[in-house]
Amino acid sequence: LAKTTQPISMDSYEGQEVNITCSHNNIATNDYITWYQQFPSQGPRFIIQGYKTKVTNEVASLFIPADRKSSTLSLPRVSLSDTAVYYCLVGSPHTHNAGNMLTFGGGTRLMVKP
Amino acid sequence: NAGVTQTPKFRVLKTGQSMTLLCAQDMNHEYMYWYRQDPGMGLRLIHYSVGEGTTAKGEVPDGYNVSRLKKQNFLLGLESAAPSQTSVYFCASSYGRGGTEAFFGQGTRLTVV
């Protein structure tokens, strides 16, 4: 059973803000929400992580509502170089069981057009 | 800062041949993972390790074996390669489980003919 659900693909234009939403209805109390970015022919790289409310770094913002059943990755003013696949993961650094591994779904393929 | 290094980067095997993929990390991470990624798909977990001397099966372990004799190395073996194992293989490491940041290698592109 997939732990997260995201759109398969999204298109945008340079300079626009892009919001990618991830559903995680069964998120556990100790779970964090983590987003990764993957460029073609490269391994994924961590971009942002949060537990609740809002987190912002130099790359993106992450919005998490109070019920934590979804989250939204926001990329401000995208450029062509933001074309990539974005993965949403949930998991806990504190839960020691086999089900709490780094499980990637299909991700969201973002295409930024000129 | 090497991070996670995978060897080799590319390999072509004939059906039935065997090979070992090496993953090395220099961050003293306890957890290491092997994934495969087929064209246009997400990453699927093959095997993982939660520490030196331990391994466990992931989502798609059949046809693969792993070993973690040293903390910094995680080896993925294919005993008898099949065309269905043609894929890009990624290794990753992290200091903890699901909610911790993972660092990935550059990938190994394997073709089985």
Side-chain angles (χ1 to χ4, degrees), chain A residues 32-110:
Chain A
Y32 284 69
I33 300 151
T34 310
W35 286 81
Y36 287 82
Q37 175 190 56
Q38 185 181 25
F39 297 116
S41 301
Q42 294 185 25
R45 70 173 186 129
F46 171 95
I47 49 174
I48 198 166
Q49 182 181 73
Y51 182 78
K52 62 180 179 180
T53 62
K54 176 184 175 182
V55 179
T56 297
N57 62 21
E58 66 278 5
V59 176
S61 294
L62 179 60
F63 298 91
I64 306 168
D67 66 5
R68 304 200 326 121
K69 294 184 182 299
S70 66
S71 59
T72 299
L73 176 73
S74 181
L75 304 172
R77 297 180 297 282
V78 294
S79 64
L80 297 176
S81 63
D82 291 315
T83 293
V85 179
Y86 293 83
Y87 297 95
C88 165
L89 283 71
V90 295
S92 171
H94 310 297
T95 302
H96 297 281
N97 61 64
N100 187 37
M101 284 299 110
L102 284 169
T103 302
F104 288 75
T108 298
R109 193 171 298 272
L110 173 66

Side-chain angles (χ1 to χ4, degrees), chain B residues 22-97:
Chain B
L22 172 63
C23 177
Q25 53 96 2
D26 61 1
M27 296 170 282
N28 201 35
H29 285 164
E30 291 291 338
Y31 300 85
M32 297 188 73
Y33 313 83
W34 274 108
Y35 294 89
R36 62 174 288 173
Q37 186 172 38
D38 299 325
M41 305 292 287
L43 285 81
R44 291 185 292 171
L45 182 64
I46 304 171
H47 286 280
Y48 63 94
S49 168
V50 300
E52 182 179 312
T54 72
T55 64
K57 295 180 181 179
E59 303 168 84
V60 289
D62 294 343
Y64 305 94
N65 57 75
V66 287
S67 64
R68 183 100 181 266
L69 299 180
K70 294 182 178 180
K71 186 177 184 178
Q72 64 267 34
N73 295 335
F74 195 28
L75 278 62
L76 177 70
L78 286 74
E79 290 186 348
S80 179
S84 60
Q85 294 177 304
T86 293
S87 190
V88 179
Y89 291 84
F90 288 102
C91 175
S93 72
S94 66
Y95 74 84
R97 288 185 185 239

